[in-house]
Amino acid sequence: MSEVVTTTPGLYPLPDWAKDDLSDLKGHQKADLIDGTESEEIEDAYERVRSEYVDHQQSAGLDRIVEGQGRWDDMIAHPLAVADAVETRGIVRYYDNNNFYREPVVTDDLAATGDVAAELDAASEQVDSGLQAVLPGPYSLADLATDEHYGDDGAFLDAVADFLADEIDAFPDVETLFLLEPSLVENPPEDGEDERASEAIDAVAAAADAEVVAHTYWGALDEKVYAHLMDADVDAIGFDFVANHEDNVYNISEYGTKDDVALGVVDGQNTLVEEPETIAERIEWVGDNTPSTDFETIYATINTETFYLPVNKYEAKLDALAAVNKEVMLA
């Protein structure tokens, strides 16, 4: 018997009212909505957004509550985009989809900003228990950025890991930390670099006084990348069973996984809303197809950010996910 903990990787879509209000307040360029110097009116709007995010998650009954990342217009590049040592330049495509972010170019020594910690502090005022932090993993954050300061890929990755670890040091108490690592799938590290990526994730995880999930998505990891990721001292690895269930099952069956696991079983990019029974069947399918693995805790989650979805669809998906039985019998 495994315990099912329902959660999400955050990055929710802005409510329609917020899109309109923020557009009016900050002009019509989406990339300028975040510059680290928001006016009081902008701060008030984001506070209302955060409150709506938290209220809906709690009313739905999700086990872990995220801040929602309404300010993260640069998506998982956000923590760098607001750093003093970073210049945000041209608009670039976010992986291979139709979303875009400002390219963060590191021009000086990175130092923690406390930006994400401040968001979590604000969310913690509404959340009695189950608060979950969300950060980009160090490999993905370094992959999305450009280095004009450190001069070496390895040194840059280490600096990004240190930057994230320092950010975590300022966090309030959280129960879980999701490190989002889509670049491990989308732009996998080469031989030698895969071990360094694992070490960087390990360094970030070590800074957290929480259960840490290294969540990968938009496909499955290459075997060698996965084998090295297993060396990182995280509590769970996340798998996107919407985008690629066969290869993810293979990795778990061939190389094992942690005692806990995160299963991306709700589609964060498709407007079709899954029924709770369908979500439960997907969880059970993983168990049936990995009979040698006994998961203690299953983090049932949306596979990707829901940033791309209409608000009513993402909210319906949260409702369906929260309604999944909290215990499932796995073969």
Side-chain angles (χ1 to χ4, degrees):
M1 188 76 73
S2 301
E3 179 189 9
V4 174
V5 174
T6 53
T7 187
T8 74
L11 284 110
Y12 297 152
L14 281 174
D16 290 338
W17 69 263
K19 293 177 184 177
D20 293 340
D21 286 2
L22 290 166
S23 180
D24 289 342
L25 290 166
K26 299 279 287 196
H28 298 288
Q29 293 185 1
K30 180 180 178 184
D32 288 338
L33 292 179
I34 302 171
D35 60 11
T37 58
E38 290 97 340
S39 67
E40 184 176 347
E41 291 84 2
I42 292 291
E43 290 178 356
D44 289 345
Y46 282 126
E47 179 65 31
R48 181 180 165 193
V49 169
R50 179 186 301 113
S51 181
E52 289 187 9
Y53 287 157
V54 171
D55 284 348
H56 185 85
Q57 291 173 86
Q58 293 190 133
S59 63
L62 286 168
D63 298 309
R64 296 290 184 269
I65 309 299
V66 300
E67 187 269 341
Q69 293 75 51
R71 293 176 59 244
W72 291 28
D73 257 28
D74 296 302
M75 287 165 280
I76 65 173
H78 171 84
L80 277 185
V82 296
D84 290 339
V86 175
E87 296 178 6
T88 50
R89 296 182 185 169
I91 303 299
V92 290
R93 188 178 295 275
Y94 186 60
Y95 297 103
D96 62 351
N97 58 41
N98 289 323
N99 287 276
F100 300 85
Y101 69 105
R102 298 174 301 171
E103 179 187 16
V105 181
V106 178
T107 59
D108 204 342
D109 287 344
L110 289 170
T113 65
D115 182 86
V116 178
E119 293 177 337
L120 289 168
D121 282 333
S124 69
E125 296 179 4
Q126 292 181 256
V127 180
D128 293 329
S129 64
L131 183 62
Q132 174 177 300
V134 174
L135 278 176
Y139 179 76
S140 294
L141 189 56
D143 179 49
L144 292 174
T146 297
D147 171 36
E148 290 188 356
H149 176 66
Y150 292 95
D152 174 83
D153 289 346
F156 183 52
L157 179 59
D158 290 345
V160 171
D162 289 343
F163 166 77
L164 291 171
D166 289 344
E167 293 286 352
I168 290 169
D169 285 342
F171 282 6
D173 290 338
V174 298
E175 292 194 28
T176 314
L177 167 63
F178 261 48
L179 294 176
L180 306 185
E181 282 285 16
S183 286
L184 287 176
V185 173
E186 287 288 305
N187 187 24
E190 298 176 355
D191 287 349
E193 294 178 353
D194 43 16
E195 183 176 3
R196 184 179 288 275
S198 175
E199 291 171 351
I201 293 168
D202 188 82
V204 175
D209 185 17
E211 299 293 302
V212 179
V213 178
H215 185 51
T216 65
Y217 50 100
W218 288 327
L221 295 171
D222 293 346
E223 291 181 57
K224 191 174 180 183
V225 174
Y226 179 72
H228 279 295
L229 183 57
M230 278 292 292
D231 292 333
D233 190 17
V234 297
D235 297 282
I237 294 173
F239 302 88
D240 184 346
F241 276 93
V242 174
N244 188 332
H245 55 279
E246 294 292 347
D247 289 340
N248 279 318
V249 159
Y250 173 82
N251 282 338
I252 294 173
S253 300
E254 185 72 15
Y255 300 102
T257 196
K258 306 291 184 176
D259 290 338
D260 300 336
V261 69
L263 304 180
V265 287
V266 176
D267 194 336
Q269 300 184 80
N270 191 311
T271 56
L272 179 65
V273 178
E274 299 86 345
E275 295 293 333
E277 294 78 12
T278 301
I279 299 170
E281 288 171 0
R282 291 176 179 176
I283 296 170
E284 291 169 357
W285 183 91
V286 176
D288 291 344
N289 286 273
T290 55
S292 62
T293 304
D294 184 18
F295 306 122
E296 292 181 6
T297 300
I298 296 172
Y299 293 96
T301 184
I302 299 173
N303 64 329
T304 69
E305 309 106 320
T306 53
F307 182 88
Y308 325 93
L309 293 177
V311 171
N312 65 327
K313 295 297 184 179
Y314 113 84
E315 290 182 340
K317 285 175 180 280
L318 262 60
D319 293 341
L321 180 59
V324 171
N325 290 333
K326 298 299 185 274
E327 292 184 344
V328 295
M329 184 68 71
L330 300 181

